[in-house]
Every structure is written in C-alpha cells, then in structure tokens.
Short mmCIF file of all heavy atoms in Angstrom, two decimals:
data_model
loop_
_atom_site.label_atom_id
_atom_site.label_comp_id
_atom_site.label_asym_id
_atom_site.label_seq_id
_atom_site.Cartn_x
_atom_site.Cartn_y
_atom_site.Cartn_z
N MET A 23 2.76 -2.47 -18.73
CA MET A 23 1.96 -2.83 -17.61
C MET A 23 2.76 -2.74 -16.33
O MET A 23 3.94 -3.09 -16.33
CB MET A 23 1.42 -4.26 -17.85
CG MET A 23 0.34 -4.67 -16.91
SD MET A 23 -1.16 -3.79 -17.35
CE MET A 23 -2.06 -3.99 -15.89
N LEU A 24 2.13 -2.33 -15.29
CA LEU A 24 2.83 -2.23 -14.01
C LEU A 24 2.85 -3.58 -13.31
O LEU A 24 1.84 -4.23 -13.13
CB LEU A 24 2.14 -1.24 -13.10
CG LEU A 24 2.15 0.23 -13.61
CD1 LEU A 24 1.30 1.07 -12.69
CD2 LEU A 24 3.53 0.75 -13.63
N LYS A 25 4.05 -4.00 -12.88
CA LYS A 25 4.22 -5.24 -12.15
C LYS A 25 5.15 -5.01 -11.00
O LYS A 25 5.93 -4.08 -10.98
CB LYS A 25 4.82 -6.32 -13.06
CG LYS A 25 3.89 -6.78 -14.17
CD LYS A 25 4.51 -7.91 -14.92
CE LYS A 25 3.56 -8.38 -16.03
NZ LYS A 25 4.13 -9.45 -16.80
N GLY A 26 5.06 -5.89 -10.02
CA GLY A 26 6.00 -5.86 -8.91
C GLY A 26 5.85 -4.63 -8.02
O GLY A 26 4.76 -4.23 -7.73
N TRP A 27 6.96 -4.06 -7.66
CA TRP A 27 6.97 -2.94 -6.72
C TRP A 27 6.34 -1.67 -7.32
O TRP A 27 5.81 -0.86 -6.57
CB TRP A 27 8.38 -2.65 -6.24
CG TRP A 27 9.32 -2.17 -7.31
CD1 TRP A 27 10.09 -2.93 -8.10
CD2 TRP A 27 9.52 -0.83 -7.69
NE1 TRP A 27 10.79 -2.15 -8.97
CE2 TRP A 27 10.47 -0.85 -8.74
CE3 TRP A 27 8.99 0.41 -7.29
CZ2 TRP A 27 10.88 0.33 -9.37
CZ3 TRP A 27 9.43 1.57 -7.93
CH2 TRP A 27 10.35 1.52 -8.97
N LYS A 28 6.33 -1.51 -8.63
CA LYS A 28 5.75 -0.34 -9.21
C LYS A 28 4.25 -0.26 -8.96
O LYS A 28 3.68 0.78 -8.72
CB LYS A 28 6.02 -0.28 -10.71
CG LYS A 28 7.47 -0.16 -11.08
CD LYS A 28 7.66 -0.29 -12.59
CE LYS A 28 9.15 -0.39 -12.89
NZ LYS A 28 9.38 -0.71 -14.27
N PHE A 29 3.59 -1.42 -9.02
CA PHE A 29 2.16 -1.51 -8.75
C PHE A 29 1.89 -1.18 -7.32
O PHE A 29 0.90 -0.50 -7.00
CB PHE A 29 1.67 -2.92 -9.10
CG PHE A 29 0.18 -3.03 -9.11
CD1 PHE A 29 -0.60 -2.35 -10.02
CD2 PHE A 29 -0.44 -3.82 -8.17
CE1 PHE A 29 -1.97 -2.46 -10.05
CE2 PHE A 29 -1.82 -3.95 -8.16
CZ PHE A 29 -2.58 -3.28 -9.07
N SER A 30 2.75 -1.63 -6.41
CA SER A 30 2.58 -1.35 -4.96
C SER A 30 2.76 0.14 -4.70
O SER A 30 1.96 0.69 -3.93
CB SER A 30 3.61 -2.14 -4.17
OG SER A 30 3.43 -3.49 -4.33
N VAL A 31 3.74 0.77 -5.30
CA VAL A 31 3.96 2.19 -5.13
C VAL A 31 2.78 2.98 -5.63
O VAL A 31 2.30 3.95 -5.00
CB VAL A 31 5.29 2.64 -5.76
CG1 VAL A 31 5.40 4.15 -5.79
CG2 VAL A 31 6.50 2.00 -5.05
N LEU A 32 2.27 2.61 -6.79
CA LEU A 32 1.11 3.28 -7.33
C LEU A 32 -0.10 3.17 -6.40
O LEU A 32 -0.83 4.13 -6.15
CB LEU A 32 0.73 2.72 -8.71
CG LEU A 32 -0.48 3.35 -9.41
CD1 LEU A 32 -0.21 4.84 -9.70
CD2 LEU A 32 -0.80 2.58 -10.66
N GLY A 33 -0.32 1.97 -5.82
CA GLY A 33 -1.41 1.78 -4.90
C GLY A 33 -1.26 2.62 -3.63
O GLY A 33 -2.22 3.24 -3.13
N ILE A 34 -0.03 2.70 -3.11
CA ILE A 34 0.22 3.53 -1.93
C ILE A 34 -0.04 5.00 -2.21
O ILE A 34 -0.55 5.72 -1.41
CB ILE A 34 1.68 3.29 -1.40
CG1 ILE A 34 1.74 1.86 -0.80
CG2 ILE A 34 2.08 4.32 -0.38
CD1 ILE A 34 3.13 1.41 -0.43
N VAL A 35 0.39 5.47 -3.41
CA VAL A 35 0.15 6.87 -3.77
C VAL A 35 -1.32 7.16 -3.88
O VAL A 35 -1.84 8.17 -3.34
CB VAL A 35 0.87 7.21 -5.08
CG1 VAL A 35 0.42 8.54 -5.67
CG2 VAL A 35 2.38 7.18 -4.88
N ILE A 36 -2.08 6.27 -4.52
CA ILE A 36 -3.51 6.48 -4.67
C ILE A 36 -4.24 6.47 -3.32
O ILE A 36 -5.07 7.32 -3.02
CB ILE A 36 -4.12 5.41 -5.60
CG1 ILE A 36 -3.63 5.70 -7.01
CG2 ILE A 36 -5.63 5.42 -5.55
CD1 ILE A 36 -4.01 4.60 -8.01
N VAL A 37 -3.89 5.51 -2.46
CA VAL A 37 -4.49 5.44 -1.13
C VAL A 37 -4.07 6.61 -0.29
O VAL A 37 -4.88 7.16 0.47
CB VAL A 37 -4.19 4.08 -0.45
CG1 VAL A 37 -4.65 4.03 1.00
CG2 VAL A 37 -4.83 2.95 -1.21
N GLY A 38 -2.84 7.08 -0.42
CA GLY A 38 -2.38 8.24 0.31
C GLY A 38 -3.12 9.52 -0.05
O GLY A 38 -3.49 10.31 0.78
N ILE A 39 -3.35 9.70 -1.36
CA ILE A 39 -4.12 10.87 -1.80
C ILE A 39 -5.55 10.77 -1.29
O ILE A 39 -6.13 11.76 -0.83
CB ILE A 39 -4.10 10.94 -3.36
CG1 ILE A 39 -2.68 11.31 -3.81
CG2 ILE A 39 -5.12 11.94 -3.86
CD1 ILE A 39 -2.47 11.22 -5.31
N THR A 40 -6.11 9.61 -1.34
CA THR A 40 -7.49 9.42 -0.82
C THR A 40 -7.53 9.67 0.69
O THR A 40 -8.48 10.30 1.19
CB THR A 40 -7.97 7.96 -1.13
OG1 THR A 40 -7.89 7.76 -2.52
CG2 THR A 40 -9.40 7.80 -0.68
N ALA A 41 -6.52 9.22 1.42
CA ALA A 41 -6.46 9.46 2.86
C ALA A 41 -6.36 10.92 3.17
O ALA A 41 -6.81 11.38 4.22
CB ALA A 41 -5.31 8.68 3.48
N ALA A 42 -5.74 11.71 2.32
CA ALA A 42 -5.59 13.15 2.52
C ALA A 42 -6.83 13.91 2.13
O ALA A 42 -7.17 14.95 2.73
CB ALA A 42 -4.38 13.68 1.77
N VAL A 43 -7.53 13.43 1.08
CA VAL A 43 -8.68 14.19 0.55
C VAL A 43 -9.98 13.83 1.27
O VAL A 43 -10.86 14.72 1.44
CB VAL A 43 -8.78 13.95 -0.98
CG1 VAL A 43 -10.06 14.48 -1.52
CG2 VAL A 43 -7.56 14.55 -1.67
N ALA A 44 -10.19 12.57 1.63
CA ALA A 44 -11.45 12.11 2.20
C ALA A 44 -11.91 12.91 3.41
O ALA A 44 -13.10 13.24 3.55
CB ALA A 44 -11.37 10.62 2.53
N PRO A 45 -11.01 13.25 4.38
CA PRO A 45 -11.46 14.02 5.51
C PRO A 45 -11.97 15.44 5.17
O PRO A 45 -12.82 16.00 5.84
CB PRO A 45 -10.27 14.14 6.41
CG PRO A 45 -9.37 13.01 6.04
CD PRO A 45 -9.62 12.79 4.58
N GLN A 46 -11.47 15.97 4.06
CA GLN A 46 -11.92 17.29 3.66
C GLN A 46 -13.40 17.29 3.18
O GLN A 46 -14.05 18.32 3.23
CB GLN A 46 -10.99 17.86 2.56
CG GLN A 46 -9.60 18.11 3.10
CD GLN A 46 -8.66 18.59 2.00
OE1 GLN A 46 -9.03 18.70 0.85
NE2 GLN A 46 -7.45 18.87 2.39
N PHE A 47 -13.85 16.16 2.67
CA PHE A 47 -15.21 16.05 2.23
C PHE A 47 -16.14 15.53 3.35
O PHE A 47 -17.32 15.36 3.15
CB PHE A 47 -15.33 15.12 1.05
CG PHE A 47 -14.74 15.70 -0.23
CD1 PHE A 47 -13.58 15.23 -0.76
CD2 PHE A 47 -15.42 16.73 -0.90
CE1 PHE A 47 -13.05 15.76 -1.92
CE2 PHE A 47 -14.88 17.28 -2.05
CZ PHE A 47 -13.71 16.83 -2.57
N GLY A 48 -15.56 15.25 4.51
CA GLY A 48 -16.33 14.78 5.66
C GLY A 48 -16.68 13.31 5.59
O GLY A 48 -17.56 12.83 6.29
N TRP A 49 -16.00 12.52 4.76
CA TRP A 49 -16.29 11.11 4.64
C TRP A 49 -15.75 10.29 5.82
O TRP A 49 -16.33 9.31 6.19
CB TRP A 49 -15.74 10.53 3.36
CG TRP A 49 -16.39 11.12 2.11
CD1 TRP A 49 -17.61 11.65 2.01
CD2 TRP A 49 -15.78 11.21 0.84
NE1 TRP A 49 -17.85 12.08 0.74
CE2 TRP A 49 -16.73 11.82 -0.02
CE3 TRP A 49 -14.56 10.88 0.28
CZ2 TRP A 49 -16.51 12.07 -1.35
CZ3 TRP A 49 -14.33 11.13 -1.02
CH2 TRP A 49 -15.29 11.73 -1.84
N ILE A 50 -14.62 10.79 6.39
CA ILE A 50 -13.94 10.09 7.46
C ILE A 50 -13.10 11.11 8.22
O ILE A 50 -12.73 12.13 7.64
CB ILE A 50 -13.09 8.92 6.89
CG1 ILE A 50 -12.64 7.95 7.99
CG2 ILE A 50 -11.92 9.40 6.11
CD1 ILE A 50 -12.02 6.66 7.45
N ASP A 51 -12.82 10.87 9.47
CA ASP A 51 -11.99 11.87 10.20
C ASP A 51 -10.51 11.57 9.96
O ASP A 51 -10.15 10.52 9.48
CB ASP A 51 -12.31 11.82 11.71
CG ASP A 51 -12.04 10.48 12.36
OD1 ASP A 51 -12.10 9.48 11.63
OD2 ASP A 51 -11.80 10.44 13.57
N TYR A 52 -9.69 12.56 10.25
CA TYR A 52 -8.27 12.51 9.93
C TYR A 52 -7.55 11.36 10.62
O TYR A 52 -6.74 10.65 10.02
CB TYR A 52 -7.54 13.85 10.27
CG TYR A 52 -7.76 14.90 9.23
CD1 TYR A 52 -8.57 16.00 9.50
CD2 TYR A 52 -7.12 14.83 8.01
CE1 TYR A 52 -8.79 16.97 8.57
CE2 TYR A 52 -7.28 15.81 7.06
CZ TYR A 52 -8.12 16.87 7.35
OH TYR A 52 -8.32 17.85 6.41
N GLY A 53 -7.84 11.15 11.91
CA GLY A 53 -7.15 10.10 12.65
C GLY A 53 -7.43 8.73 12.07
O GLY A 53 -6.50 7.92 11.94
N ARG A 54 -8.65 8.48 11.70
CA ARG A 54 -8.97 7.17 11.13
C ARG A 54 -8.39 7.01 9.76
O ARG A 54 -7.95 5.94 9.39
CB ARG A 54 -10.50 7.01 11.10
CG ARG A 54 -10.89 5.61 10.65
CD ARG A 54 -12.35 5.36 10.90
NE ARG A 54 -12.57 5.23 12.30
CZ ARG A 54 -13.75 5.18 12.86
NH1 ARG A 54 -14.84 5.25 12.13
NH2 ARG A 54 -13.89 5.09 14.16
N SER A 55 -8.38 8.06 8.95
CA SER A 55 -7.82 7.90 7.60
C SER A 55 -6.32 7.67 7.64
O SER A 55 -5.82 6.87 6.86
CB SER A 55 -8.17 9.13 6.72
OG SER A 55 -7.35 10.23 7.03
N ILE A 56 -5.62 8.34 8.54
CA ILE A 56 -4.19 8.10 8.70
C ILE A 56 -3.91 6.68 9.18
O ILE A 56 -3.00 6.00 8.70
CB ILE A 56 -3.53 9.16 9.62
CG1 ILE A 56 -3.72 10.57 9.05
CG2 ILE A 56 -2.09 8.85 9.89
CD1 ILE A 56 -3.06 10.76 7.69
N SER A 57 -4.73 6.23 10.13
CA SER A 57 -4.58 4.87 10.67
C SER A 57 -4.78 3.82 9.57
O SER A 57 -4.04 2.85 9.44
CB SER A 57 -5.58 4.62 11.79
OG SER A 57 -5.36 5.51 12.82
N LEU A 58 -5.80 4.01 8.76
CA LEU A 58 -6.08 3.08 7.69
C LEU A 58 -4.96 3.12 6.60
O LEU A 58 -4.60 2.10 6.04
CB LEU A 58 -7.43 3.36 7.04
CG LEU A 58 -8.64 3.02 7.92
CD1 LEU A 58 -9.92 3.48 7.28
CD2 LEU A 58 -8.66 1.51 8.15
N PHE A 59 -4.42 4.31 6.34
CA PHE A 59 -3.32 4.43 5.40
C PHE A 59 -2.10 3.66 5.90
O PHE A 59 -1.48 2.91 5.16
CB PHE A 59 -2.96 5.87 5.15
CG PHE A 59 -1.77 6.05 4.24
CD1 PHE A 59 -1.83 5.73 2.92
CD2 PHE A 59 -0.61 6.54 4.78
CE1 PHE A 59 -0.72 5.88 2.12
CE2 PHE A 59 0.53 6.68 3.96
CZ PHE A 59 0.45 6.35 2.65
N ILE A 60 -1.75 3.82 7.18
CA ILE A 60 -0.61 3.12 7.72
C ILE A 60 -0.84 1.59 7.70
O ILE A 60 0.06 0.81 7.35
CB ILE A 60 -0.36 3.58 9.18
CG1 ILE A 60 0.17 5.02 9.15
CG2 ILE A 60 0.66 2.68 9.89
CD1 ILE A 60 0.21 5.69 10.48
N LEU A 61 -2.06 1.16 8.00
CA LEU A 61 -2.37 -0.28 7.93
C LEU A 61 -2.23 -0.76 6.50
O LEU A 61 -1.71 -1.89 6.26
CB LEU A 61 -3.85 -0.48 8.42
CG LEU A 61 -4.27 -1.91 8.55
CD1 LEU A 61 -3.47 -2.65 9.60
CD2 LEU A 61 -5.77 -1.98 8.88
N PHE A 62 -2.69 -0.01 5.52
CA PHE A 62 -2.52 -0.41 4.12
C PHE A 62 -1.05 -0.51 3.74
O PHE A 62 -0.67 -1.47 3.04
CB PHE A 62 -3.26 0.57 3.22
CG PHE A 62 -3.12 0.27 1.73
CD1 PHE A 62 -3.88 -0.76 1.21
CD2 PHE A 62 -2.27 1.00 0.94
CE1 PHE A 62 -3.75 -1.10 -0.16
CE2 PHE A 62 -2.14 0.69 -0.41
CZ PHE A 62 -2.88 -0.36 -0.95
N VAL A 63 -0.25 0.43 4.17
CA VAL A 63 1.21 0.40 3.82
C VAL A 63 1.86 -0.84 4.42
O VAL A 63 2.65 -1.50 3.77
CB VAL A 63 1.90 1.68 4.26
CG1 VAL A 63 3.41 1.56 4.17
CG2 VAL A 63 1.40 2.87 3.41
N LEU A 64 1.50 -1.15 5.68
CA LEU A 64 2.07 -2.35 6.31
C LEU A 64 1.62 -3.61 5.60
O LEU A 64 2.39 -4.57 5.42
CB LEU A 64 1.65 -2.38 7.78
CG LEU A 64 2.31 -1.35 8.66
CD1 LEU A 64 1.70 -1.39 10.07
CD2 LEU A 64 3.83 -1.55 8.73
N PHE A 65 0.36 -3.64 5.13
CA PHE A 65 -0.13 -4.80 4.40
C PHE A 65 0.60 -4.99 3.08
O PHE A 65 1.01 -6.09 2.73
CB PHE A 65 -1.65 -4.63 4.15
CG PHE A 65 -2.27 -5.73 3.32
CD1 PHE A 65 -2.41 -6.97 3.83
CD2 PHE A 65 -2.69 -5.43 2.03
CE1 PHE A 65 -3.00 -7.97 3.07
CE2 PHE A 65 -3.25 -6.44 1.24
CZ PHE A 65 -3.41 -7.70 1.78
N VAL A 66 0.79 -3.92 2.36
CA VAL A 66 1.51 -3.98 1.07
C VAL A 66 2.96 -4.40 1.30
O VAL A 66 3.54 -5.19 0.56
CB VAL A 66 1.45 -2.63 0.31
CG1 VAL A 66 2.40 -2.59 -0.84
CG2 VAL A 66 0.04 -2.40 -0.15
N ALA A 67 3.56 -3.88 2.38
CA ALA A 67 4.96 -4.26 2.70
C ALA A 67 5.03 -5.74 3.00
O ALA A 67 5.98 -6.42 2.60
CB ALA A 67 5.45 -3.43 3.88
N ALA A 68 4.06 -6.29 3.72
CA ALA A 68 4.06 -7.71 4.05
C ALA A 68 3.90 -8.54 2.78
O ALA A 68 4.55 -9.56 2.62
CB ALA A 68 2.92 -8.02 5.03
N LEU A 69 3.05 -8.11 1.85
CA LEU A 69 2.89 -8.80 0.62
C LEU A 69 4.17 -8.81 -0.20
O LEU A 69 4.56 -9.82 -0.81
CB LEU A 69 1.76 -8.21 -0.22
CG LEU A 69 0.35 -8.46 0.30
CD1 LEU A 69 -0.65 -7.73 -0.61
CD2 LEU A 69 0.03 -9.93 0.30
N GLU A 70 4.83 -7.65 -0.26
CA GLU A 70 6.11 -7.55 -0.99
C GLU A 70 7.15 -8.45 -0.35
O GLU A 70 7.94 -9.10 -1.05
CB GLU A 70 6.59 -6.12 -1.04
CG GLU A 70 5.80 -5.23 -1.96
CD GLU A 70 5.94 -5.61 -3.41
OE1 GLU A 70 7.06 -6.00 -3.83
OE2 GLU A 70 4.95 -5.53 -4.15
N LEU A 71 7.23 -8.50 0.94
CA LEU A 71 8.16 -9.36 1.66
C LEU A 71 7.91 -10.81 1.37
O LEU A 71 8.86 -11.58 1.12
CB LEU A 71 8.14 -9.08 3.16
CG LEU A 71 9.12 -9.85 4.03
CD1 LEU A 71 10.53 -9.50 3.68
CD2 LEU A 71 8.85 -9.59 5.49
N MET A 72 6.69 -11.23 1.41
CA MET A 72 6.36 -12.63 1.08
C MET A 72 6.70 -12.94 -0.33
O MET A 72 7.22 -14.05 -0.62
CB MET A 72 4.89 -12.90 1.34
CG MET A 72 4.53 -12.93 2.79
SD MET A 72 2.84 -13.51 3.20
CE MET A 72 1.85 -12.74 2.00
N ASP A 73 6.46 -12.07 -1.28
CA ASP A 73 6.80 -12.26 -2.65
C ASP A 73 8.33 -12.39 -2.82
O ASP A 73 8.81 -13.27 -3.56
CB ASP A 73 6.28 -11.13 -3.51
CG ASP A 73 6.54 -11.33 -4.99
OD1 ASP A 73 6.28 -12.46 -5.53
OD2 ASP A 73 7.03 -10.38 -5.61
N TRP A 74 9.07 -11.51 -2.15
CA TRP A 74 10.51 -11.54 -2.24
C TRP A 74 11.08 -12.84 -1.68
O TRP A 74 12.02 -13.43 -2.26
CB TRP A 74 11.08 -10.34 -1.51
CG TRP A 74 12.59 -10.27 -1.50
CD1 TRP A 74 13.38 -9.94 -2.57
CD2 TRP A 74 13.43 -10.58 -0.41
NE1 TRP A 74 14.71 -10.01 -2.16
CE2 TRP A 74 14.77 -10.42 -0.85
CE3 TRP A 74 13.22 -10.99 0.90
CZ2 TRP A 74 15.84 -10.62 -0.02
CZ3 TRP A 74 14.33 -11.23 1.71
CH2 TRP A 74 15.63 -11.02 1.26
N LEU A 75 10.54 -13.28 -0.53
CA LEU A 75 11.02 -14.51 0.04
C LEU A 75 10.68 -15.71 -0.85
O LEU A 75 11.49 -16.65 -0.97
CB LEU A 75 10.39 -14.71 1.45
CG LEU A 75 10.94 -13.80 2.51
CD1 LEU A 75 10.09 -13.99 3.80
CD2 LEU A 75 12.40 -14.07 2.79
N GLY A 76 9.55 -15.67 -1.48
CA GLY A 76 9.17 -16.76 -2.41
C GLY A 76 10.05 -16.81 -3.59
O GLY A 76 10.50 -17.90 -4.04
N ARG A 77 10.39 -15.65 -4.17
CA ARG A 77 11.32 -15.67 -5.31
C ARG A 77 12.74 -16.09 -4.90
O ARG A 77 13.42 -16.72 -5.66
CB ARG A 77 11.36 -14.24 -5.93
CG ARG A 77 10.14 -13.98 -6.81
CD ARG A 77 10.28 -12.65 -7.52
NE ARG A 77 9.90 -11.59 -6.62
CZ ARG A 77 10.68 -10.54 -6.30
NH1 ARG A 77 11.88 -10.45 -6.85
NH2 ARG A 77 10.26 -9.64 -5.44
N ARG A 78 13.11 -15.73 -3.70
CA ARG A 78 14.45 -16.06 -3.20
C ARG A 78 14.57 -17.59 -3.00
O ARG A 78 15.62 -18.15 -3.32
CB ARG A 78 14.66 -15.35 -1.90
CG ARG A 78 16.04 -15.48 -1.37
CD ARG A 78 16.25 -14.62 -0.12
NE ARG A 78 17.24 -15.19 0.69
CZ ARG A 78 17.29 -15.10 2.01
NH1 ARG A 78 16.40 -14.36 2.62
NH2 ARG A 78 18.25 -15.68 2.70
N ARG A 79 13.51 -18.24 -2.54
CA ARG A 79 13.57 -19.68 -2.35
C ARG A 79 13.59 -20.43 -3.68
O ARG A 79 14.20 -21.47 -3.80
CB ARG A 79 12.37 -20.15 -1.52
CG ARG A 79 12.53 -19.82 -0.08
CD ARG A 79 11.50 -20.56 0.75
NE ARG A 79 11.61 -20.12 2.13
CZ ARG A 79 10.57 -19.84 2.87
NH1 ARG A 79 9.36 -19.97 2.39
NH2 ARG A 79 10.73 -19.42 4.12
N LYS A 80 12.86 -19.91 -4.66
CA LYS A 80 12.84 -20.56 -5.98
C LYS A 80 14.19 -20.52 -6.62
O LYS A 80 14.56 -21.43 -7.32
CB LYS A 80 11.81 -19.88 -6.88
CG LYS A 80 10.40 -20.29 -6.59
CD LYS A 80 9.44 -19.64 -7.61
CE LYS A 80 8.02 -20.00 -7.33
NZ LYS A 80 7.13 -19.37 -8.26
N GLY A 81 14.92 -19.44 -6.40
CA GLY A 81 16.25 -19.29 -7.01
C GLY A 81 17.29 -20.24 -6.41
O GLY A 81 18.25 -20.59 -7.04
N SER A 82 17.11 -20.66 -5.19
CA SER A 82 18.10 -21.51 -4.51
C SER A 82 18.01 -22.94 -4.94
O SER A 82 17.09 -23.56 -5.22
CB SER A 82 17.92 -21.47 -3.00
OG SER A 82 18.17 -20.14 -2.55
#
C-alpha cells in the first residue's frame, strides 16, 4: 500500500497528466489547468510539511 510521500507523488503525477490532457478535449483551457495543477502541488506540499512537523514534534 502506498503511504507517505509515495501517495503524494502518485497524486501529483495523476493530476499532472490530467492537467495536460484535459485542455486537449476542451474541458478547460491551458492557463487554468496549469494554475490548478500548481495550486494542487502547493497544497500537497503544505500537507507534507505539516505531517513532517507533526512527526518531528512527537519524536522530541
């Protein structure tokens, strides 16, 4: 089972592929899909940072 950062990387890859393919089908324009992809990556990074800080505090 995927846990931790592996799950985050898999999510980023899936959303990245979707962001590249969706404009070709006319579902969304390129600018908006790239913006949403960057927002998703920043969100996942913030979640990973909060998880890392939480694990770091438990260890101390």
Side-chain angles (χ1 to χ4, degrees):
M23 193 72 197
L24 295 174
K25 292 184 178 179
W27 65 269
K28 296 175 189 171
F29 190 66
S30 298
V31 170
L32 180 64
I34 289 171
V35 168
I36 290 172
V37 172
I39 290 171
T40 304
V43 171
Q46 294 177 358
F47 289 109
W49 295 334
I50 193 170
D51 61 335
Y52 280 108
R54 186 168 289 171
S55 76
I56 298 300
S57 300
L58 289 174
F59 175 70
I60 291 170
L61 185 65
F62 178 76
V63 169
L64 290 174
F65 176 71
V66 169
L69 289 177
E70 287 293 323
L71 182 64
M72 289 190 317
D73 183 49
W74 179 74
L75 289 173
R77 282 186 279 124
R78 187 174 152 209
R79 284 194 186 135
K80 283 184 181 178
S82 296

